[in-house]
Each structure stands twice: as structure tokens, then as C-alpha cells.
Amino acid sequence: MSEHTVSAYDEELTEMAGKVAEMGGLAEKAFADAVSALVSRDLDLAKTTIAQDERLDTLHQEVEAKLIEMIARRQPMGQDLREITAATRIANDLERVGDLAKNVAKRAIAIDNSLGSKKLAIGVEHMTELALSQLKQVLDAYTRKDPEAAKRVQEADAEVDAIYTSLFRELLTYMMEDPRVITQCVHLLFCAKNIERIGDHATNIAENVFYMVTGERLPEERTKLDETTSVS
Amino acid sequence: MSEHTVSAYDEELTEMAGKVAEMGGLAEKAFADAVSALVSRDLDLAKTTIAQDERLDTLHQEVEAKLIEMIARRQPMGQDLREITAATRIANDLERVGDLAKNVAKRAIAIDNSLGSKKLAIGVEHMTELALSQLKQVLDAYTRKDPEAAKRVQEADAEVDAIYTSLFRELLTYMMEDPRVITQCVHLLFCAKNIERIGDHATNIAENVFYMVTGERLPEERTKLDETTSVS
């Protein structure tokens, strides 16, 4: 293979990584906007967030088709193959993050306004800050090809899970104390679960970044655990 | 390309479709066992179901690696490319079905035994029958390359969604009437949501089967709607 070809290939890989990073930017924004719409009861923002998910889906389809085409044309091996495989998987995770954000935005619309849901949504906001920071950090680790940063993201996921577990219990307590808040608390529980899952996707991405750069699997620090399924 | 090569390729494609169908069998079994464990309070079955998800994950990784390798080696176009792309996406959906089934099995363990949860779980069982039948039918459509059967699966998803919406409301009512059942009803709500999502994955698979065989996109019959996010 001539140097010219190799360099054109590198350019193509960089371009694909750029598209995946663009998906990451859209997914981050959707997630932040959805929770913001939920907490500040901003229905217009919720609607915009729902509508914009289509852009992320379209971008995902483009990226997927382009990556398959690259595999067929370039027959990549080793590091190149790892980069393309990682891009495919990361794009999948980001598309799922967009779906989860969209679902939070839908619930922002569904939640009844009248019963102080704003107070109840604060816990969700705190959890979001952490999960969003995880997502930003892992996308940064992807762009910089930094396995150590990816490893830190994986390690910090336990914190998102811990907040989720505590929020789950708190929301159950509210529901038991005042049946009038049951419906909105159920929607908030689903929102919290969606955010916890966004944290899981950040972890998946971290594992893919680590493997892409090093060719080694990141050891699982812990058994993945949603503690709310093991407590009654 | 010699006829021998073409026929070796066909064999490879058939073998891959077989592996995907094997994933489908495991995903179906996990789903059926998880709900059975939930409804009949069978903790051993729940534990076995959780443990066996690893097999599905391993198979998924094998399938994914093999498909990438096939794209690189065969540089497929047209129908062949569609078959490989479809297999990749269907394998993804089946891996997710396995995760959702595992989550139901975890909740079967978490749900408190003492408060008549068996009665409450009946609605979940009914929803499962339908979603499971959808999954079976779409895997059959994939094996038989039958686009009409795939289309019917897509159309029937609205029914799973309708049962979910009615179950959601029913569980909320129970919670409002008796705060002692709140925790278990919340777990059942999450189980119901997981089953509804399994229905969505069956629909995704249906869309991929249709596209794989015909090269055309299945028209979306309806806006995908979880009505519980638009009602309070």
C-alpha cells in the first residue's frame, strides 16, 4: 500500500471519529436539555429535544453505512480494525443515549405540574450532572485516544449507580407518604433509570475506547449492579 | 468469482444466519424463563436465567467479529451486504432482549413475596405471551426470509403497547389504593416496561428482515408511542 493510500485512510478514520464525536455532542445536548426541560417544566424545550432526536438517528445511519463500506474497501487489520469496530459500537451507544434522553423529554411533558414535582426532580438533576460529566469525559477520552481517562470513567460509574439507588428509595418513600404524588414519582423513577442507563452507556464507551487504544480488555472493577433490583 | 467461491460464501451466510437464530433461541428462552420465574416466584429459575445471559453475550461477540471479518474478506454488495448488515443489527437486538430478560429475572428476586404479588404479576404474564409470540414469529420470518410475516410483526406491536399502557394504569391504581404494594408494583412496572421494550426489539428485527429481503424500508404504520409518557 502506498503512503498516499495509507494517509488517505488515516484521514478517513479521523473523519469517521469526527462524525462519532458529532453524534456525541448531539447526545450530550439532548440529555442535558431533556433533564433541564424536566426540572424547569419547560415543555417547549422538551418538544424540541424530542424532535431533534431524528438528526442523531440519521447521523447514526450514515456513520454505520460508511463504516461498513470502509471495512469492505480497506479490509482493516489490527489497530485499524479496532478503531472501526470501536466507532461502530460507540455510535450505537450514542444513538441509545439519544433515545433515553428523548424518553426523559417525553416524561417531562407527561408529568403533572401541580404537585411540586420540581422539588422531586432535584435529585434527578444531581444524578444528571454526574452522568453528563461521565459522558463528556469519555467522549473526550475517545477523541484524545486516552485509555487512562477511559478507565477513570469506568470506575466512576459506581457513583452514578449509588445515586440512582438512593434516589429510587427516596422516591418510593414519597409515594408511600403521599399517594397523590405516585404518578409523577413513577415517571421520575423511569427518568432516573434512564439516566442510570446513560451512565452504563458511558461505561460501555469507556471499555471500547480502552480496547481500541490498547488492544486489551479493561478489567471489570465490579459486577454491574442496579442495587434496586436486589433490594425490596 | 468462481461458482465454488460463491457457494462457499452462501454457506457462510447461512451459517451466520444460523448463529443469529441460535441467539434468538437463547433470547426467547431467557425471556420466557424470566417471566415464569417472576410469576411463579421461582428464585432458582431466576438465578439460572441471570447466569445464562453470559452465553448469549459470548455468542453475540463471536457473531459480531465473524460478520466484520466476512465484510472485510468478501466485500459484499447489494443483497449480500444487506444480509450481513441485517444479521449484525438483529444480533444487537437479541443481545438487548437478553439483557432485558436478565433484568426481569433480577426483579423476580427483588420483589417481596409476602403481599400477593402473584396476582399482580398475571397482567405481566399476559403481556409476555404476546411479546414472546412476536419474537418467535419474527425469528421465524428471518429464517424463512419472509417479508410479509415481518410486516405482520411490526403491525402487531401496537397491541403490546396497548397492553402495557393498560397495565401501567392498573398498577398505578393498586399503588394508590394500598401503599404497602408500592415497592413490588414499581418492580412490576419496570418489568412491564422491559417487556414492552422486548416488543420494540421484535419490531426492529421485523424492519431489518423486511429490508434485508426486499431492499425497501417498511413504512412506519404509526408513530412509536409509549402512551404512558403522554398521560399523567
Side-chain angles (χ1 to χ4, degrees):
Chain A
M1 205 181 274
S2 75
E3 230 176 80
H4 176 77
T5 318
V6 172
S7 131
Y9 188 28
D10 283 350
E11 250 173 51
E12 243 187 326
L13 273 178
T14 307
E15 196 193 316
M16 284 320 297
K19 287 261 184 202
V20 174
E22 191 188 334
M23 283 187 69
L26 290 176
E28 261 182 40
K29 185 172 179 336
F31 177 25
D33 285 352
V35 176
S36 175
L38 178 74
V39 174
S40 56
R41 315 284 321 122
D42 184 339
L43 298 194
D44 287 335
L45 183 59
K47 283 174 196 160
T48 318
T49 307
I50 293 166
Q52 285 186 345
D53 186 52
E54 214 178 310
R55 229 180 108 203
L56 187 56
D57 286 348
T58 307
L59 192 54
H60 179 227
Q61 280 167 18
E62 283 171 27
V63 166
E64 197 192 33
K66 176 76 181 162
L67 287 166
I68 288 177
E69 190 260 325
M70 276 178 77
I71 296 171
R73 192 160 34 80
R74 303 285 189 177
Q75 300 163 50
M77 307 276 289
Q79 170 67 17
D80 289 343
L81 180 57
R82 284 207 305 274
E83 288 200 21
I84 293 187
T85 310
T88 310
R89 289 188 183 146
I90 293 170
N92 265 335
D93 277 300
L94 292 172
E95 192 263 340
R96 304 265 326 131
V97 169
D99 281 348
L100 292 165
K102 183 167 77 172
N103 189 271
V104 171
K106 282 186 185 172
R107 291 187 192 275
I109 295 172
I111 288 179
D112 189 321
N113 201 6
S114 58
L115 285 159
S117 65
K118 201 165 166 174
K119 188 196 102 197
L120 299 181
I122 299 288
V124 171
E125 201 175 22
H126 174 49
M127 195 178 161
T128 301
E129 277 169 25
L130 194 64
L132 195 58
S133 146
Q134 291 277 91
L135 191 59
K136 277 183 204 294
Q137 282 174 55
V138 82
L139 289 168
D140 196 41
Y142 174 58
T143 307
R144 290 188 290 104
K145 300 190 182 180
D146 181 344
E148 289 310 312
K151 191 159 181 278
R152 284 194 296 276
V153 169
Q154 186 214 36
E155 284 160 3
D157 186 47
E159 218 176 310
V160 179
D161 290 352
I163 299 181
Y164 170 67
T165 302
S166 117
L167 194 56
F168 182 91
R169 288 183 179 139
E170 196 185 347
L171 287 165
L172 281 190
T173 308
Y174 288 144
M175 289 156 85
M176 288 172 196
E177 282 167 4
D178 181 359
R180 290 171 306 161
V181 300
I182 285 179
T183 301
Q184 70 193 50
C185 282
V186 161
H187 282 302
L188 286 174
L189 273 175
F190 274 107
C191 289
K193 184 69 194 170
N194 285 345
I195 297 165
E196 188 255 356
R197 284 169 58 208
I198 289 177
D200 289 346
H201 286 293
T203 304
N204 287 350
I205 296 174
E207 287 165 359
N208 276 304
V209 169
F210 191 89
Y211 180 71
M212 173 185 86
V213 184
T214 65
E216 319 234 318
R217 301 270 168 216
L218 204 47
E220 285 195 33
E221 290 275 324
R222 62 209 173 78
T223 309
K224 170 65 202 160
L225 190 65
D226 165 0
E227 278 196 24
T228 66
T229 58
S230 56
V231 293
S232 49
Chain B
M1 203 180 272
S2 74
E3 229 176 82
H4 176 77
T5 316
V6 172
S7 133
Y9 188 27
D10 283 348
E11 250 173 52
E12 243 186 326
L13 273 178
T14 307
E15 195 194 318
M16 285 318 297
K19 286 259 183 205
V20 173
E22 191 187 335
M23 283 187 70
L26 289 176
E28 260 180 42
K29 185 173 181 334
F31 176 26
D33 285 353
V35 176
S36 175
L38 179 73
V39 175
S40 56
R41 317 282 323 120
D42 184 339
L43 299 193
D44 288 334
L45 183 58
K47 283 174 196 159
T48 317
T49 307
I50 294 166
Q52 285 187 344
D53 186 51
E54 216 179 305
R55 228 180 108 202
L56 187 55
D57 286 347
T58 307
L59 192 55
H60 179 226
Q61 280 167 20
E62 283 171 26
V63 166
E64 197 192 32
K66 176 75 181 165
L67 287 166
I68 289 177
E69 190 259 325
M70 275 177 78
I71 297 171
R73 191 158 37 79
R74 304 285 188 172
Q75 300 164 52
M77 307 277 287
Q79 169 68 16
D80 289 345
L81 180 56
R82 284 205 305 276
E83 288 201 20
I84 293 188
T85 309
T88 310
R89 289 187 183 146
I90 293 170
N92 265 334
D93 277 300
L94 292 171
E95 191 265 338
R96 305 265 325 130
V97 169
D99 281 349
L100 292 165
K102 183 169 76 173
N103 190 272
V104 170
K106 282 186 185 173
R107 291 187 192 274
I109 296 172
I111 288 178
D112 189 321
N113 202 5
S114 56
L115 283 160
S117 64
K118 200 163 167 176
K119 187 194 102 195
L120 299 179
I122 299 289
V124 171
E125 201 175 23
H126 174 49
M127 195 179 162
T128 300
E129 276 167 27
L130 194 63
L132 196 58
S133 146
Q134 291 276 94
L135 191 58
K136 275 182 205 295
Q137 281 175 55
V138 83
L139 289 168
D140 196 40
Y142 174 58
T143 306
R144 289 187 291 106
K145 300 191 183 180
D146 181 344
E148 290 310 312
K151 191 158 179 279
R152 284 194 296 276
V153 169
Q154 185 214 36
E155 285 160 2
D157 186 46
E159 216 177 313
V160 179
D161 290 353
I163 299 180
Y164 170 67
T165 302
S166 118
L167 193 55
F168 182 90
R169 289 182 179 140
E170 195 185 350
L171 287 165
L172 281 189
T173 307
Y174 289 144
M175 289 156 87
M176 288 172 196
E177 283 168 4
D178 182 359
R180 289 170 306 162
V181 300
I182 285 178
T183 301
Q184 72 193 50
C185 281
V186 161
H187 283 302
L188 286 174
L189 274 175
F190 275 108
C191 289
K193 183 70 193 169
N194 285 346
I195 296 164
E196 188 256 353
R197 285 169 58 210
I198 289 176
D200 289 346
H201 287 292
T203 304
N204 288 348
I205 295 173
E207 288 166 358
N208 276 305
V209 169
F210 191 89
Y211 180 71
M212 175 184 86
V213 184
T214 67
E216 319 235 318
R217 300 269 169 217
L218 203 47
E220 286 196 32
E221 291 275 323
R222 63 209 171 79
T223 311
K224 168 65 204 161
L225 188 67
D226 165 1
E227 277 195 24
T228 65
T229 61
S230 56
V231 294
S232 48

